[in-house]
Amino acid sequence: MLIKEIYHKDPVTISDDATVKDALTVIINKRVNGLIVTKKDNPKKVVGVLAIPDIAAATVPRQFRKNLGMAAALYKQGFFHEMCAEIKDKSVTKVMRKNFEQVSLDDHILSITAEFLRGDLYIVPVIENKELIGVVTRSEIKRALAYGMGLKR
């Protein structure tokens, strides 16, 4: 099965000048788990991807990211709210994934399925001629699996 058979043609995007709070608002309102971050002056140029885990990870101080047990041990009342307040006005470019997977229409679904597992991916841009034309999300992977197993889509 090729990407062109399963990809979503209407990706939810956000401009690279948006804040983390703006991004979370779009994620909630559009009921998606991730966004494609594009250049403000060129909405077809992808500069990153941003998913819920990226925003959540930004609430954990860097020094604790490799030792979450220590972060939990040092937890104090209100800390999570403080961290959310600290990141909400940051640019999405500060928390997005800059090294992201991408696919093209003629790539096989297997080329990205393993990456969804290994990289804990939520959203992968579909790029043709260096421009965003769609996305593959966990929903498309789920539909492809259902199709492959003969279930109704």
Side-chain angles (χ1 to χ4, degrees):
M1 178 174 275
L2 300 178
I3 295 299
K4 64 182 161 190
E5 298 174 73
I6 64 158
Y7 82 107
H8 184 69
K9 295 169 182 74
D10 189 24
V12 180
T13 63
I14 195 157
S15 174
D16 61 352
D17 67 338
T19 66
V20 173
K21 183 178 178 182
D22 295 334
L24 187 59
T25 300
V26 172
I27 286 170
I28 290 168
N29 290 339
K30 296 283 188 172
R31 294 186 169 130
V32 295
N33 289 316
L35 305 169
I36 303 295
V37 182
T38 59
K39 293 290 286 177
K40 178 182 180 183
D41 58 351
N42 183 359
K44 294 289 185 182
K45 172 73 174 157
V46 178
V47 295
V49 297
L50 180 68
I52 292 293
D54 304 314
I55 297 171
T59 66
V60 179
R62 286 202 183 281
Q63 63 268 32
F64 298 134
R65 290 188 186 166
K66 291 194 187 259
N67 188 346
L68 294 178
M70 183 178 281
L74 295 174
Y75 174 79
K76 65 177 183 177
Q77 187 69 28
F79 181 73
F80 181 74
H81 291 296
E82 288 173 21
M83 293 306 298
C84 287
E86 186 176 307
I87 69 164
K88 74 178 184 175
D89 294 321
K90 284 187 177 184
S91 168
V92 292
T93 61
K94 300 292 183 194
V95 297
M96 71 182 188
R97 295 182 193 199
K98 295 176 182 107
N99 297 320
F100 54 90
E101 300 295 328
Q102 65 183 42
V103 291
S104 64
L105 292 176
D106 291 323
D107 287 336
H108 195 277
I109 188 170
L110 291 177
S111 69
I112 198 64
T113 304
E115 292 301 325
F116 266 86
L117 296 171
R118 185 172 34 156
D120 194 29
L121 301 180
Y122 283 74
I123 187 167
V124 173
V126 179
I127 308 286
E128 287 291 322
N129 300 316
K130 299 181 181 180
E131 291 191 344
L132 176 67
I133 63 162
V135 293
V136 176
T137 68
R138 290 178 174 202
S139 293
E140 282 75 41
I141 299 293
K142 178 175 57 179
R143 282 194 291 279
L145 288 167
Y147 177 79
M149 293 182 192
L151 300 174
K152 289 187 178 183
R153 293 178 9 164

